Amino acid sequence: MAKLRIGVVLAAGKGTRLKSDLPKVLHPVLGKSMIQRVLESFVPLKLDQVILVIGHQAQQVEEVISHLNLPFSIHFVVQEPQLGTGHAMMQVLKALPSETQADVLITCGDMPLVLAERYQELLKLYDQKQPAVAMVTVAMSDPTGYGRVVRDQENQFQRIVEEKDATLEEKKIPWINAGIYTVNWPVFSGYFAKLTQNNAQGEFYLTDVLGLLAQDKKQVIPVVWPDPDEILGINSRSQLSEACGILSRWTAKRLMDQGVSIVNPQSMTLAPEIQVGADSVLYPGCYLEGDVVIGFHCEIGPYTTMRGEIEVSDFCRVVYSNLERRVAIGKNSYVGPFAHLRDNAILGETVRVGNFVEVKETQIGDRSNAAHLCYLGDADVGDDVNMGAGTIVANYDPIRDAKHRTVIENGVKVGCNSVLIAPVTLHQRSCIAAGSVITEDVESGDLAIARARQTQIEGWVDKTSAQPVNEPS
Ligand code: UD1
Ligand code: CA
C-alpha cells in the first residue's frame, strides 16, 4: 500500500495570554481565523487527511472549521486535559495507529503565516533524505520563549531544550525550534511511551521525542528556514497584531512588485487575498480585507475600508469610503468622499456616488448620479438617472417589519430632498419636483409634485414685529 501523507495541526491549547473568550485559533488575522489560514496553506500539499487536535473550547473550534470549504477531510481528535504537545500527539494515535505507514506533517494552529510553498519544500526535502524527523529551525536575534536546538561537538542534532528548562548557555543559542516537523509515523510514534513529565512545565514535550531519536542514532535533520517572520507563533495580542502587520507588509510588497503604487505602505492594512491592477494608486490609511479585487488605473483612499466581496473595476476612484460585504463598482465610477456601500450595492459604469450617500441591496445603472446625501436601499435605479441631494428611499415598513423595493427607471430625475415611499415605481424619464413625498407610481415623462404649495403673506414681517429685533435699544 502506498504511504499515506497526513497533516496534524495542534490546536488544543488554551491561549491564556490572549485573555479572550474566543478560542485562540479562531482569532482573526486580517479577515480569516488563524486556523483557517493554517488549513488553507495545507491545500496545495495533497494530503490524504488532516487531523486536528482540539481541546480547549473544542466544540466551538470544530463548529467553525466544519463550515470551511476545504478539499480534504478533517478528523478531529480531542485532547482532554491538555498535558503538553507530546500528550497532544499521543491523542493522534486514536486516529492514526502507530503501525500506519505514513509521513506526518505536524504544525501548530497558532502559526498562520507559514506559506504553502515552505511546507512543500520541507516535504520535498523529507522525501529526498527519508529521515526519522525533519524539523524546522530558524536563527532568531531574540530567541526568548522558543525551544532551542542543541547540537553536539560534531554539530549533529542532539535535542531541543525548552526556554524554561534551558541553562544560561543554552539560552544563548539563536537556533530555535519552529514547532513544525515532518515525521516517519511508525518510528516517531514508537517513542511516545518513553515521554515523561520531568521538566519545568510538568508537560509531555513533543520535542523530547526528537532527543530520544537522536540518542538512538535515528536521523533528525534540522531544516533551516530563511524568514523568522513566517514562523511567528501567536500567543499574545501583541503577536496577533505583529502577524497582521507582517501579512500586510508582504501584501504591500507583492502589490508594488505588480505595478501598484502605495503612497505610504506603513499606513495600510492589506490582507493577502486582495488583488489590485497595475497603475492603481493606494493612498494612505486604507483597510482592505477579503475577496477584494480592484482594477487597473484606480485611485483608492485615502482612508477607505473594503471588507468582504468587493469588486472595483478599472479607472475608478473610491475616496474616504466604507465598502462592506458585497459591492461591485463598474468602471470609471467615482465613489465618495464618505460614501457607504454595502450588501449588494451594484454600481454600473461611470456612476457617481458622492458624499454621505448610503447604498445597499441596490443596483445603479450606467451614468447615474447620487452625488450628495442620499439613502438608496432596496432600489433598482436605471441608467442616466439623477438623484437630487438629500433624496431618501423609504424602504422599510416598521409596522410589518418588511422591506419594499423602489424602481427608478432610465432617465428619471429626482429633485432634491424627495422621499420615495416604497413600493413605488418612477417610470422612464419622469421627474420628481424637489421636496416631494412620492407614494404613487409616476408615469413615463410626467412630473410629480407632492408637497404643500407655497403661501406668501404680504408684509408679514413688518406687521408682526412692531419693534425690529436685534437692534440696540
Ligand atoms: C512549542 C515547542 C517549542 C517551540 C514552539 C514554537 C514544545 C514542548 N515546545 O512551545 O520548542 O519553540 O512551540 O512555537 O513542543 N498544544 C496542544 N496541546 C497541549 C499543548 C499545546 O494542542 O497540551 C498546541 C497549542 O494549541 C499550540 C501548539 O500545541 O498550537 C504549541 O503549544 P504552545 O503551548 O504554544 O507551545 P510553546 O510553548 O510555544
Ligand atoms: Ca506557541
Side-chain angles (χ1 to χ4, degrees):
M1 208 183 101
K3 237 180 169 186
L4 293 173
R5 178 156 280 180
I6 309 286
V8 169
V9 184
L10 302 182
K14 186 158 188 278
T16 315
R17 277 174 283 169
L18 283 174
K19 300 194 172 65
S20 175
D21 292 339
L22 191 68
K24 167 158 142 174
V25 293
L26 298 187
H27 275 261
V29 183
L30 298 190
K32 287 185 182 178
S33 67
M34 293 184 208
I35 192 72
Q36 183 176 359
R37 293 209 175 277
V38 173
L39 291 170
E40 285 183 356
S41 69
F42 276 7
V43 170
L45 308 183
K46 301 203 171 63
L47 300 167
D48 295 298
Q49 193 186 51
V50 173
I51 298 169
L52 212 92
V53 184
I54 50 178
H56 187 74
Q57 292 169 297
Q59 254 185 337
Q60 207 178 332
V61 177
E62 185 171 346
E63 166 75 17
V64 171
I65 291 172
S66 58
H67 286 103
L68 298 176
N69 188 16
L70 294 162
F72 42 74
S73 70
I74 295 181
H75 192 109
F76 294 93
V77 169
V78 178
Q79 180 199 15
E80 192 61 57
Q82 293 99 40
L83 304 177
T85 49
H87 182 251
M89 287 308 298
M90 292 176 201
Q91 314 311 308
V92 173
L93 292 171
K94 294 180 221 163
L96 199 68
S98 195
E99 60 277 9
T100 318
Q101 290 303 315
D103 297 323
V104 177
L105 171 67
I106 304 167
T107 193
C108 300
D110 63 355
M111 293 175 45
L113 304 188
V114 179
L115 303 171
E117 55 252 49
R118 208 69 68 225
Y119 284 131
Q120 278 170 319
E121 285 166 19
L122 177 70
L123 288 169
K124 199 168 153 207
L125 198 109
Y126 174 89
D127 285 344
Q128 284 164 359
K129 304 216 163 156
Q130 299 280 318
V133 178
M135 57 131 340
V136 174
T137 180
V138 171
M140 291 244 177
S141 51
D142 177 13
T144 312
Y146 287 95
R148 311 294 207 285
V149 179
V150 182
R151 293 170 186 258
D152 63 17
Q153 279 95 343
E154 279 95 55
N155 204 31
Q156 292 301 302
F157 176 91
Q158 200 171 30
R159 63 194 167 88
I160 292 165
V161 63
E162 292 304 299
E163 168 92 18
K164 287 187 178 135
D165 302 291
T167 62
L168 280 176
E169 261 326 285
E170 286 166 339
K171 281 184 183 156
K172 288 182 193 153
I173 300 172
W175 295 98
I176 63 97
N177 167 35
I180 300 167
Y181 323 84
T182 302
V183 308
N184 179 322
W185 187 245
V187 176
F188 189 82
S189 60
Y191 280 80
F192 291 168
K194 297 191 179 166
L195 292 179
T196 70
Q197 290 165 283
N198 300 332
N199 52 57
Q201 302 182 78
E203 289 182 354
F204 294 101
Y205 289 164
L206 158 62
T207 43
D208 284 350
V209 175
L210 280 68
L212 292 166
L213 283 164
Q215 265 178 27
D216 285 355
K217 304 278 176 257
K218 302 270 188 339
Q219 207 187 3
V220 177
I221 49 172
V223 179
V224 177
W225 279 7
D227 187 356
D229 281 351
E230 253 183 75
I231 55 119
L232 175 73
I234 298 175
N235 303 305
S236 63
R237 300 273 178 173
S238 342
Q239 284 167 332
L240 188 59
S241 83
E242 214 179 306
C244 295
I246 292 167
L247 278 186
S248 185
R249 264 204 318 278
W250 289 349
T251 309
K253 166 90 171 62
R254 167 176 64 81
L255 293 177
M256 290 190 284
D257 289 346
Q258 292 170 344
V260 177
S261 283
I262 303 181
V263 174
N264 181 0
Q266 289 91 313
S267 74
M268 311 293 272
T269 306
L270 305 170
E273 290 73 28
I274 73 168
Q275 303 291 337
V276 185
D279 284 321
S280 286
V281 183
L282 306 183
Y283 288 99
C286 293
Y287 184 97
L288 310 181
E289 104 180 3
D291 293 324
V292 173
V293 181
I294 295 167
F296 298 92
H297 296 275
C298 290
E299 290 182 27
I300 308 297
Y303 301 101
T304 288
T305 301
M306 298 188 191
R307 296 179 83 166
E309 206 182 305
I310 314 287
E311 194 187 326
V312 180
S313 306
D314 305 341
F315 298 100
C316 285
R317 283 181 74 194
V318 182
V319 182
Y320 283 100
S321 289
N322 184 41
L323 280 55
E324 281 177 289
R325 289 181 285 277
R326 182 152 185 272
V327 175
I329 304 176
K331 67 175 186 228
N332 206 33
S333 295
Y334 179 18
V335 170
F338 309 109
H340 185 188
L341 272 51
R342 62 183 176 97
D343 304 287
N344 295 310
I346 313 295
L347 277 46
E349 295 181 6
T350 320
V351 165
R352 172 86 181 98
V353 167
N355 20 224
F356 308 106
V357 174
E358 179 175 352
V359 182
K360 75 112 203 179
E361 296 292 350
T362 289
Q363 301 190 40
I364 301 182
D366 298 342
R367 299 171 302 280
S368 289
N369 296 324
H372 338 262
L373 305 151
C374 282
Y375 174 59
L376 290 168
D378 304 288
D380 299 296
V381 180
D383 298 337
D384 304 296
V385 167
N386 190 67
M387 305 294 292
T391 297
I392 301 292
V393 162
N395 59 325
Y396 181 55
D397 173 351
I399 307 301
R400 292 170 196 83
D401 189 28
K403 301 272 175 67
H404 300 289
R405 293 200 76 81
T406 301
V407 179
I408 303 170
E409 293 184 352
N410 295 345
V412 167
K413 312 293 174 206
V414 180
C416 292
N417 212 31
S418 296
V419 182
L420 310 175
I421 312 276
V424 73
T425 298
L426 313 184
H427 289 282
Q428 293 209 10
R429 296 178 47 253
S430 59
C431 278
I432 306 300
S436 293
V437 176
I438 298 296
T439 53
E440 283 162 38
D441 292 359
V442 180
E443 295 312 316
S444 277
D446 286 2
L447 167 70
I449 307 179
R451 63 177 183 226
R453 194 171 274 281
Q454 184 168 325
T455 341
Q456 210 153 308
I457 302 170
E458 221 186 308
W460 182 88
V461 175
D462 285 343
K463 271 184 248 165
T464 42
S465 45
Q467 208 75 50
V469 276
N470 289 339
E471 218 162 86
S473 50

